[in-house]
Amino acid sequence: MQAYDPEKAARIWDRVRQPPTAGLDVQKLPALINEEWTDAAIYLMLSRQFQGKHNLLLRQMAEQEQTHAACLKGIYTLVSGKRAAEYTPQPEAAPVETLLRRCYGREMRSLAAYEARASDPEYGPVFSRLAAQERDHCRRLLELLGSINQYRR
C-alpha cells in the first residue's frame, strides 16, 4: 500500500470542489441575452415587411434568437443562482438595410462570444451550437441583404 500524501490529496480535493464553470464570466451573460432579444424583436418586426421565403426566414431566425436568450438565461441561473433580469427590446425605426446591417454586427459579436466559450467544460457544447446557429444567421442576413429589393412587398 502506498503512503498517503496529504498535500496531494488536498490539491485533488481543491480541484473537485472547484465549480466546473470557474472560467465562465457570468457577468457578461446579461448583455448577450439582451442582444439576442434585440435581434429577435427586429427579425419579427422585419418579417412583417416581407412575404414568402424571406418572411418565413426572418420568423425562424426570431424564434432561434428567442431560444438563444432562453439558453443563456438558463446558464445564468445555474451559474449565478439568480434569475436574469427581463428585457423587452423596442426595435428602433430605421431603414430595413440599416437594421439588417446592425443585426449582422450583433450576430458577429455573439458568434465571437460563443466561440470563445465553446471550450467551457460544462456549457461548451451549448455555446458551440449557439455559435453554429449565429454563423448561419450571418449567412442568411447576407443573402437577405443581397436580394432585399427582389422580395419586399
Side-chain angles (χ1 to χ4, degrees), residues 64-112:
Q64 287 176 343
E65 295 295 328
Q66 291 169 353
T67 301
H68 296 179
C71 286
L72 294 172
K73 286 173 69 174
I75 292 170
Y76 182 85
T77 299
L78 288 175
V79 174
S80 72
K82 298 181 261 179
R83 306 273 306 152
E86 291 297 318
Y87 177 69
T88 307
Q90 299 299 320
E92 59 188 300
V96 172
E97 292 85 354
T98 301
L99 292 173
L100 291 174
R101 193 175 303 115
R102 290 177 185 160
C103 286
Y104 184 83
R106 276 190 300 275
E107 295 284 5
M108 289 297 293
R109 285 191 301 277
S110 294
L111 172 60

Side-chain angles (χ1 to χ4, degrees), residues 27-100:
Q27 301 305 320
K28 293 185 179 179
L29 289 177
L32 290 170
I33 293 167
N34 292 349
E35 288 206 347
E36 295 291 359
W37 278 118
T38 297
D39 282 344
I42 291 171
Y43 295 151
L44 193 57
M45 178 187 73
L46 289 176
S47 73
R48 296 180 189 112
Q49 298 180 34
F50 288 86
Q51 56 188 359
K53 74 175 190 175
H54 288 299
N55 170 280
L56 178 61
L57 172 87
L58 286 162
R59 284 188 292 127
Q60 287 173 341
M61 288 173 57
E63 190 174 296
Q64 287 176 343
E65 295 295 328
Q66 291 169 353
T67 301
H68 296 179
C71 286
L72 294 172
K73 286 173 69 174
I75 292 170
Y76 182 85
T77 299
L78 288 175
V79 174
S80 72
K82 298 181 261 179
R83 306 273 306 152
E86 291 297 318
Y87 177 69
T88 307
Q90 299 299 320
E92 59 188 300
V96 172
E97 292 85 354
T98 301
L99 292 173
L100 291 174

